[in-house]
C-alpha cells in the first residue's frame, strides 16, 4: 500500500481563514483572502512580524482552525486505499504542538496517531506522496509532490496542482495517480 | 552526507533514571536499574499502569531527564560527518511535546530544530541509520538500525548493538560504518 503524507495548515486546516480573522480583529483591518494572493502575511506587514508570530505560536490559534471543505470525507476514503500519514511543520511554532494533536483527534478521529509526524523540514518524512501548500517543503521531500492551492502559492508553477479535495480524490482514486 | 536519526528516550536522555527516581519517590520503592533488566516498567507493575502513564505524560517528567553520558560531545562530533536528525516517539505521550523541544534546545543547542521529528511509528522517518533502544521501532524503520542498550532490551538479539556513546562514535567514525 502506497503512503500519502498530508500537510495540515493550508491543506487540512484553513489557516488563512483564521489568520485573516485574527489580523482583522487585532489590527482593525479588513483583509480578505484576495489580499494574500501570491504573498505571505509577513511580506505584507513586515513591521508586524514579531507580533504576528506571538499570536500564531499559541494553542488558541491552532486549536480552532476550520477544517478544509471535503477534507474529512476524502481522507477517510483515501485511507481505504493508501496509508495516510500527517506531516506538519510544527517546529517553527512549538506552541502549536498540543493544539495540532487535539485538532487531529477531534476532526480526523479515524486516523492513527502513530502516523502523525510533527517535523521541521519534510526531507525527514518517508512517504510516497506529499500533499502540501508549501513549495519549499515539496522540494525538500523525496517522493512525488502534490501542490495544494493556497492564496500564497497561486503564482507558483508546479507539475501537480490540486485546487480542492475533490480534485485530490479524483487524482488518487484514478487508475494511475501521478 | 548520510543521515543518522537518533531517538531521545533511553538514547540521548536517561529516561530510566528518572522513571526509577519517580517510582521510588511516589510509591516508596527501592528500585534500581537492575530491576528493569529485560523488562518494561508496566510488566513489573501492571496494577500501576494508569498511574504511571499519568505522571509520565507530563511536561515535568520529560523536561528534566538527565543527558546520557558522552551523548553531547559524540553527537556534536558526528554532526561534522553526518546529517543528524532527532526522531522521538512523542505521540504516545503528547504531554511531552513542549518539554522534549525545550530539552533538545537546552542540551543540544547545536542541532537545528528543522531536523527534529516528533512521531509515532518510525516507519515514517527517512534517514540512513536509526539509533534506538526500541526493537519495535528499529523493525519499523526502513534503513540500517543500531540498537542502543537499555535495561529493557538486554535479552534481545540484534545485529548491531551499542553499549555506550563511545561505541557509537567508534562505529560511525570508522572507515566503513555498518
Amino acid at each position: 500500500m502506497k503512503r500519502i503524507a498530508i500537510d495540515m495548515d493550508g491543506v487540512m486546516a484553513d489557516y488563512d481563514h483564521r489568520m485573516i480573522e485574527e489580523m482583522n480583529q487585532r489590527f482593525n483591518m479588513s483583509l480578505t483572502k484576495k489580499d494574500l494572493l501570491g504573498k505571505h502575511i509577513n511580506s505584507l506587514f513586515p513591521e508586524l512580524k514579531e507580533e504576528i508570530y506571538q499570536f500564531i505560536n499559541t494553542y488558541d490559534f491552532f486549536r480552532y482552525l476550520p477544517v478544509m471543505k471535503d477534507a474529512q470525507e476524502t481522507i477517510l476514503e483515501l485511507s481505504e486505499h493508501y496509508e495516510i500519514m500527517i506531516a506538519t511543520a510544527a517546529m517553527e511554532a512549538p506552541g502549536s504542538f498540543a493544539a495540532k494533536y487535539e485538532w487531529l483527534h477531534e476532526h480526523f478521529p479515524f486516523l492513527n496517531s502513530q502516523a502523525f509526524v510533527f517535523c521541521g523540514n519534510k526531507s525527514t518524512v518517508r512517504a510516497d506522496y506529499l500533499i502540501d501548500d508549501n513549495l519549499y517543503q515539496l522540494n525538500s521531500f523525496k517522493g512525488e509532490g502534490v501542490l495544494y492551492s493556497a492564496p500564497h502559492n497561486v503564482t507558483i508553477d508546479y507539475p501537480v496542482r490540486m485546487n480542492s479535495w475533490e480534485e485530490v480524490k479524483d487524482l488518487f482514486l484514478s487508475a494511475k495517480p501521478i
Side-chain angles (χ1 to χ4, degrees), chain A residues 18-57:
Chain A
R18 182 99 172 98
M19 172 62 90
I20 287 167
E21 192 179 66
E22 206 63 33
M23 292 294 287
N24 289 345
Q25 205 167 22
R26 283 178 186 265
F27 306 115
N28 202 21
M29 292 177 174
S30 49
L31 290 175
T32 68
K33 283 198 181 180
K34 279 190 185 160
D35 297 306
L36 297 179
L37 289 173
K39 294 179 185 124
H40 279 280
I41 199 83
N42 286 338
S43 63
L44 277 174
F45 305 102
E47 73 284 6
L48 295 175
K49 194 179 167 186
E50 192 50 44
E51 218 168 327
I52 291 171
Y53 183 72
Q54 291 301 324
F55 75 69
I56 287 179
N57 187 28

